[in-house]
Amino acid sequence: MPREGAHDTVNGHIRFSGTVVPALLFFGAVVLTAVSVWSRQHAGLVLASWLVLVALVFLEIRLRLIARAGNTAGTRDGPSRLPHLFGSGVVVWLLATVCTGLAYRVPATPPDGSGSLATTAVILLLSAFVIALAHYYQQTTSTLLTERHALANWSRLTFWIGLVSALLSLLASVGLVLADRHLIQSMMLLSVVPALEWLFRTLAAEDDKVSLVTDVRLVRVLFNRLNPVASALDWMQQRFAVDLRSTWALDVVRQSLIPVASGLLLLAWLTTAVVTIDTFQVGLQERFGNPVSNRALQPGIHIKVPWPIDRIHRVETSRVRSMTLGFAGPRVGASLLWTKQHAAEEYNLLLGDGRDLVTINALLHFVITDPWRWHYGTQNPESMLRVAAEQALLRNTVSRSLSGVLSEQTASLIADIERDINQLVGEYEVGVQIVGLTLQGLHPPVRVAADYQAVVSAQHEREIAILSSRSYEIETLHDARSRAIASTIDAETAFWHRTQTARGASDAYRFLQRVYVEAPDAMELHLRLQAIVDVLEHRPLLVIDDRIEKDGGVLWFEN
């Protein structure tokens, strides 16, 4: 019966510590990852990654409890051997966390109150869960769960990581700190130290008895109590038999703590008197909120009255800034088709006839030339510059129709807009100089782009039909004129040929007539011989000498 009771207790530990707790930790890691990505406050990602490792720790407890239950029932002899799958999982987690920390490139985002508060709430909820686990394992008296104190140590370490993550997320929600790339990378790389200790000791050990739960000294030394300092002092007293709480050194530290802390705070406050201006910036100095002078501090190191008496406002005067006009949101890789949305949000301008709308996507590039006017001239200089740019856009499109705007030469339109922006900026005294205007898109609104494209296509087809008809007309007239000219030339050629032939025949006849008058006999003989030649020209002739028959010869002819 005692063995059956112990077996049931082990099964209860397996169900709770080996199944329920790892499942809740994995689920919490997934939820925290989703909330951190949604809120763009990635301080919770460190705790989410750490929860996966703690879940692996409880999975090791499950494997040990299963092996222990088998030994209790008498089905297995000898020490339990952990499967290599657990060690592979820890190594995979270690590599994934290190790679994630090194490859982390997400920039810090401005504070989002609701998102940061949601992340903080989830982190605090998970921290409360792990501190409850620490209290449970610290108070339990089950001798079958020999690793209960080690699990309490891991739970306390998880609580401290969650506390730091919650503090960063809370500070981000009020805008006091941004969880930037270097901070997230440092926290992720520090979280792998316990797993690295276990890995190095496992590789150096001659057997497989190194446990991630109980043999990581960092967790055992610093988190045996909720206070890491007190835990470290307890370990030193136990290891070296020295109680540092009662030594004279601690008395000296207690006596000098307030002066040293006050001195450090004073030194930190005095360091605010040193200000550095970068090479591309100038500084505007204020004292109790009032400008000290109208001369800006040039790049370099300057001394001022410590904060909060003096404040320095840095203004970048050597960097070309850009401002979007006509759209908001990303436009990288946007489609060039009229029927596709080119940005997250696009604005439409009403044209002069009151019936047409046009969407203009442009980038305005400018440089701050007068930091004093830029910072003190208006309450919001960027909004003033945007108003001037939009007024210039309206001024150059209000008197045109949609077809007129789309058919306008882009270079001349941009030049007119830039000229008007410079004029308005000078009138408003914003303190900037316009470098250029880049027109990225000029098209009808997306909702009517398909219909307008159909109209434009019909107009193009009409123009093509007109041009084709004119081309056919020109080609036909050219062919007719060519044929008429050719016929005229042929007629004139035939006329001159027949006329000259007739004249030649007439001259030949007159010549023969004169010859006949002068020598009629010779002319008749000539004409007779010519007639014989004409008749017999292409016929075979046979000439027989009459002397053949006279000499008694006989000629035979065969048809």
Side-chain angles (χ1 to χ4, degrees):
M1 292 302 294
R3 175 173 293 184
E4 292 180 358
H7 185 72
D8 293 339
T9 305
V10 171
N11 288 335
H13 286 312
I14 292 175
R15 285 192 298 270
F16 179 73
S17 299
T19 303
V20 176
V21 174
L24 291 176
L25 292 175
F26 274 121
F27 178 74
V30 172
V31 172
L32 184 56
T33 301
V35 174
S36 299
V37 173
W38 166 72
S39 63
R40 294 181 297 177
Q41 299 297 336
H42 296 163
L45 293 179
V46 181
L47 179 59
S49 175
W50 179 258
L51 290 177
V52 175
L53 179 62
V54 178
L56 292 174
V57 170
F58 279 91
L59 288 179
E60 180 185 348
I61 293 298
R62 175 184 175 85
L63 296 174
R64 289 182 175 275
L65 288 173
I66 291 174
R68 196 169 299 157
N71 292 335
T72 304
T75 58
R76 183 177 303 176
D77 297 328
S80 61
R81 297 286 183 174
L82 297 180
H84 295 288
L85 182 61
F86 169 75
S88 301
V90 177
V91 172
V92 169
W93 174 89
L94 183 62
L95 293 176
T97 304
V98 172
C99 293
T100 303
L102 295 177
Y104 186 82
R105 292 293 185 271
V106 179
T109 57
D112 182 4
S114 59
S116 299
L117 289 178
T119 306
T120 305
V122 175
I123 294 175
L124 291 177
L125 183 62
L126 292 172
S127 301
F129 171 69
V130 295
I131 199 63
L133 285 179
H135 181 73
Y136 167 76
Y137 287 114
Q138 187 66 32
Q139 297 297 325
T140 184
T141 58
S142 176
T143 57
L144 296 177
L145 189 61
T146 57
E147 300 88 354
R148 57 186 182 276
H149 296 296
L151 292 177
N153 296 342
W154 279 93
S155 299
R156 295 188 191 99
L157 175 55
T158 306
F159 170 75
W160 277 107
I161 295 177
L163 192 62
V164 174
S165 300
L167 180 61
L168 289 176
S169 182
L170 185 62
L171 293 177
S173 64
V174 296
L176 294 180
V177 68
L178 291 179
D180 59 1
R181 175 167 60 93
H182 301 290
L183 184 58
I184 298 298
Q185 285 180 332
S186 300
M187 293 178 63
M188 282 191 171
L189 295 179
L190 286 176
S191 67
V192 304
V193 173
L196 284 177
E197 180 187 345
W198 170 83
L199 180 62
F200 291 152
R201 294 184 62 185
T202 301
L203 296 177
E206 297 179 357
D207 51 20
D208 297 331
K209 295 182 180 180
V210 179
S211 172
L212 181 63
V213 182
T214 60
D215 295 335
V216 178
R217 295 178 181 175
L218 179 66
V219 180
R220 187 171 67 249
V221 171
L222 295 180
F223 299 98
N224 195 34
R225 297 172 61 177
L226 187 59
N227 187 351
V229 177
S231 179
L233 293 176
D234 290 342
W235 178 82
M236 294 182 67
Q237 181 180 359
Q238 181 182 3
R239 182 69 179 270
F240 303 103
V242 177
D243 188 6
L244 295 179
R245 295 180 180 88
S246 60
T247 60
W248 64 270
L250 289 181
D251 294 335
V252 174
V253 170
R254 291 191 187 99
Q255 294 175 3
S256 60
L257 180 60
I258 295 178
V260 171
S262 302
L264 292 177
L265 290 176
L266 179 61
L267 181 61
W269 180 69
L270 291 177
T271 56
T272 60
V274 181
V275 61
T276 302
I277 308 297
D278 291 335
T279 56
F280 57 90
Q281 297 175 336
V282 296
L284 301 178
Q285 185 176 0
E286 291 182 356
R287 181 164 299 163
F288 295 111
N290 296 319
V292 175
S293 65
N294 57 0
R295 296 183 60 183
L297 299 179
Q298 299 303 314
I301 300 177
H302 302 272
I303 304 297
K304 65 179 183 64
V305 180
W307 179 89
I309 301 175
D310 278 8
R311 298 183 62 184
I312 300 297
H313 296 280
R314 295 175 176 84
V315 180
E316 299 178 352
T317 57
S318 300
R319 182 173 65 90
V320 178
R321 299 189 178 190
S322 299
M323 175 183 293
T324 62
L325 298 177
F327 70 97
R331 200 183 184 275
V332 179
S335 175
L336 298 179
L337 299 177
W338 286 358
T339 55
K340 301 296 183 180
Q341 190 78 18
H342 296 158
E345 186 177 1
E346 292 183 312
Y347 309 108
N348 301 321
L349 294 178
L350 183 66
L351 299 181
D353 54 7
R355 296 177 298 175
D356 294 337
L357 294 174
V358 66
T359 299
I360 297 179
N361 301 147
L363 283 177
L364 180 64
H365 308 284
F366 63 95
V367 175
I368 299 175
T369 56
D370 192 340
W372 186 269
R373 288 184 177 179
W374 173 262
H375 189 74
Y376 296 109
T378 57
Q379 183 177 5
N380 195 336
E382 292 189 359
S383 298
M384 183 65 71
L385 180 60
R386 184 180 299 276
V387 168
E390 292 177 353
Q391 285 182 352
L393 287 176
L394 290 173
R395 182 180 298 178
N396 287 273
T397 57
V398 69
S399 60
R400 292 179 170 89
S401 62
L402 181 59
S403 59
V405 171
L406 296 180
S407 62
E408 182 79 17
Q409 291 185 1
T410 305
S412 61
L413 181 60
I414 292 176
D416 294 340
I417 296 175
E418 288 182 359
R419 183 187 65 252
D420 292 344
I421 293 177
N422 281 317
Q423 180 181 355
L424 292 173
V425 165
E427 294 176 359
Y428 296 157
E429 296 183 352
V430 183
V432 300
Q433 179 181 359
I434 305 303
V435 177
L437 180 69
T438 303
L439 189 61
Q440 294 181 332
L442 185 64
H443 57 87
V446 176
R447 290 179 296 178
V448 299
D451 298 332
Y452 188 84
Q453 189 173 1
V455 173
V456 173
S457 299
Q459 293 177 350
H460 288 173
E461 291 178 358
R462 183 191 66 180
E463 296 296 331
I464 291 174
I466 293 174
L467 293 177
S468 299
S469 301
R470 291 179 179 177
S471 175
Y472 177 76
E473 177 186 5
I474 294 173
E475 183 179 357
T476 303
L477 289 176
H478 177 74
D479 292 341
R481 290 173 181 173
S482 299
R483 289 195 297 271
I485 293 173
S487 299
T488 302
I489 294 174
D490 292 340
E492 291 178 354
T493 302
F495 167 76
W496 286 106
H497 176 71
R498 292 182 181 181
T499 301
Q500 296 301 325
T501 301
R503 289 178 180 177
S506 176
D507 294 340
Y509 181 79
R510 291 191 183 93
F511 175 75
L512 292 176
Q513 185 179 12
R514 288 196 300 270
V515 172
Y516 181 79
V517 171
E518 294 177 359
D521 295 336
M523 188 61 187
E524 289 180 358
L525 178 61
H526 173 73
L527 292 175
R528 186 179 295 110
L529 292 175
Q530 184 65 37
I532 293 172
V533 169
D534 294 338
V535 173
L536 301 177
E537 183 177 4
H538 298 291
R539 295 182 181 182
L541 297 178
L542 182 62
V543 180
I544 300 174
D545 192 355
D546 57 352
R547 288 177 296 179
I548 296 175
E549 294 182 351
K550 290 180 179 181
D551 294 338
V554 179
L555 297 174
W556 297 89
F557 298 95
E558 182 179 359
N559 295 332

